[in-house]
Amino acid sequence: MDLVRAGRSPAELAEQFEPSEQTIRDWVAQAEANEGKRKDMLSSVEREILAKATAWFGREADTKPKNSSDS
């Protein structure tokens, strides 16, 4: 992220460090979202909260007793 901010291009960094150019662009975008500079994607904290909520609701759906009419 700091290298991109310092003026290095994702293409140049991808060639030097081996992650793909798109991966570097994704990292930069995620860092900007985490800093509150982007509103078009979730921050890492927001994503973690949603993942935990999804897992919790999934467990709850599996533990609900079936109605006797469902048998």
Side-chain angles (χ1 to χ4, degrees):
M1 174 72 178
D2 291 335
L3 293 174
V4 172
R5 286 183 176 163
R8 307 260 317 260
S9 74
E12 179 184 4
L13 294 170
E15 188 174 308
Q16 182 178 357
F17 295 111
E18 301 207 14
S20 72
E21 183 176 347
Q22 186 58 52
T23 297
I24 294 170
R25 289 183 193 283
D26 292 344
W27 290 342
V28 170
Q30 189 63 61
E32 289 172 346
N34 292 346
E35 294 167 353
K37 295 178 180 177
R38 291 182 71 124
K39 300 296 180 194
D40 62 330
M41 61 188 297
L42 297 174
S43 71
S44 295
V45 171
E46 292 168 319
R47 292 168 60 137
E48 184 178 335
I49 290 168
L50 288 176
K52 288 179 179 180
T54 300
W56 184 85
F57 281 112
R59 284 191 308 273
E60 286 297 305
D62 289 342
T63 60
K64 290 203 180 223
K66 292 188 175 197
N67 293 333
S68 59
S69 62
D70 290 343
S71 303

